[in-house]
Amino acid sequence: MITIFPMSISRRFLKGWQRNFIVYKKVWLTNALPNMLLPFFLVVSFGMGLNSLVGKFFYHGFEVSYVHFIAPAMISINTMFNAFFESTYSSFVRMDHQKTFDAMMATPLNMTEIVTGEIIWGATKAFIAAAIMQAIVTLFGFIQYPVGLLILPLAFLGGIAFSAIGMFFTGTVATLEMFNLPICLFITPMSVICDTFFPLQNMSTWVQWFAAILPLTHLVRLTRAFSFGVIDAELLWSFAYLVVFCVIFFPLAVNKIHRRLMK
């Protein structure tokens, strides 16, 4: 029998977000440095390595270099990793080891507000990571503005999507080690086949259909379009997909965490 718990929420969820932000400020440099150095090393290595071998090619009517092709994908992948890992490993430690969720339940906060705070915090970290990486990539001239500014709110939306699915897994696994399963079977495959390192249009039809049901494909598609300075009606499908993904997995995550802690 599946029990659906009430989705009662107020602005109090910001208290949970605030708690995580206070902790983050103490170690912000450690979190920021990888996001600063990763795009630089990727652009330099791919620019000096594979870019010279691949050369320029056409992608949806645009002639692009390989490094220009993967730069927006790196922003999307970084968004996914920051949101997912924050809402899995970090949230699990707060919930299971530090008993932070139990302590918060002793306050006026309810479970929906606690989980919402975690999801929005994961999206915030994804936003920060994307902003840092976008700033570095911009220095190489790979982002067209002003349309490129849409990448930042898109990163927050993508962060909500991946934080929600991360919290769903957090409510499912029994130990930290079990996160290896969603990472190996869900996150890692997405980072390879979702129009990231290789143009999806050149892959087999069944791979294209499979990639179309994965959230990272749509995040990459939107990020790359915005980085090229493109806005068209075809992008509405990818935007709608991410919104629906959030709408579905947000209540699922709340329900999973509620059932786990109310046992």
Side-chain angles (χ1 to χ4, degrees):
M1 180 179 178
I2 299 177
T3 304
I4 304 298
F5 295 96
M7 297 287 291
S8 176
I9 188 172
S10 71
R11 288 183 296 176
R12 288 193 300 262
F13 79 87
L14 290 172
K15 295 298 182 180
W17 179 93
Q18 184 181 28
R19 181 263 174 203
N20 292 333
F21 179 66
I22 291 172
V23 174
Y24 174 80
K25 288 193 297 184
K26 298 179 181 179
V27 292
W28 69 269
L29 186 59
T30 303
N31 283 271
L33 275 177
N35 295 313
M36 294 178 185
L37 297 176
L38 180 61
F40 177 79
F41 289 137
L42 284 173
V43 170
V44 171
S45 60
F46 281 111
M48 297 178 63
L50 286 176
N51 192 61
S52 59
L53 297 175
V54 176
K56 293 188 175 181
F57 57 94
F58 283 92
Y59 176 82
H60 293 292
F62 290 89
E63 186 181 28
V64 297
S65 63
Y66 184 65
V67 66
H68 193 182
F69 172 78
I70 67 167
M74 291 299 98
I75 297 176
S76 298
I77 291 174
N78 205 32
T79 297
M80 174 182 70
F81 280 152
N82 274 270
F84 188 82
F85 279 87
E86 179 64 28
S87 61
T88 49
Y89 286 102
S90 298
S91 292
F92 187 89
V93 168
R94 287 191 286 269
M95 177 185 69
D96 196 70
H97 297 293
Q98 297 177 344
K99 304 299 182 183
T100 303
F101 286 17
D102 291 342
M104 295 170 75
M105 283 293 290
T107 71
L109 290 172
N110 60 44
M111 185 55 63
T112 301
E113 292 164 343
I114 293 172
V115 176
T116 301
E118 290 290 305
I119 291 174
I120 298 302
W121 171 243
T124 302
K125 285 199 67 176
F127 175 88
I128 295 172
I132 294 172
M133 182 168 279
Q134 180 174 341
I136 301 298
V137 170
T138 297
L139 296 178
F140 293 90
F142 295 143
I143 307 291
Q144 299 295 318
Y145 292 98
V147 177
L149 293 173
L150 294 174
I151 293 174
L152 295 179
L154 174 64
F156 191 79
L157 175 63
I160 293 176
F162 286 107
S163 290
I165 187 66
M167 287 301 296
F168 176 80
F169 285 120
T170 296
T172 303
V173 303
T175 64
L176 280 171
E177 290 74 18
M178 290 185 67
F179 282 124
N180 290 330
L181 291 176
I183 289 173
C184 293
L185 301 178
F186 181 60
I187 296 298
T188 301
M190 278 197 295
S191 66
V192 176
I193 69 171
C194 290
D195 212 18
T196 50
F197 296 100
F198 317 102
L200 193 58
Q201 62 192 24
N202 297 335
M203 294 187 181
S204 302
T205 302
W206 72 268
V207 176
Q208 296 184 38
W209 279 102
F210 179 67
I213 66 175
L214 300 175
L216 184 61
T217 300
H218 301 279
L219 183 60
V220 169
R221 185 171 297 163
L222 289 164
T223 303
R224 187 172 284 129
F226 293 158
S227 71
F228 290 171
V230 175
I231 299 178
D232 58 47
E234 293 182 3
L235 299 176
L236 288 175
W237 155 243
S238 293
F239 177 76
Y241 177 97
L242 290 176
V243 171
V244 171
F245 192 90
C246 294
V247 170
I248 292 175
F249 276 95
F250 176 83
L252 288 177
V254 172
N255 197 57
K256 273 290 184 181
I257 298 295
H258 211 308
R259 291 176 61 192
R260 181 189 181 100
L261 295 183
M262 293 297 116
K263 288 181 179 180

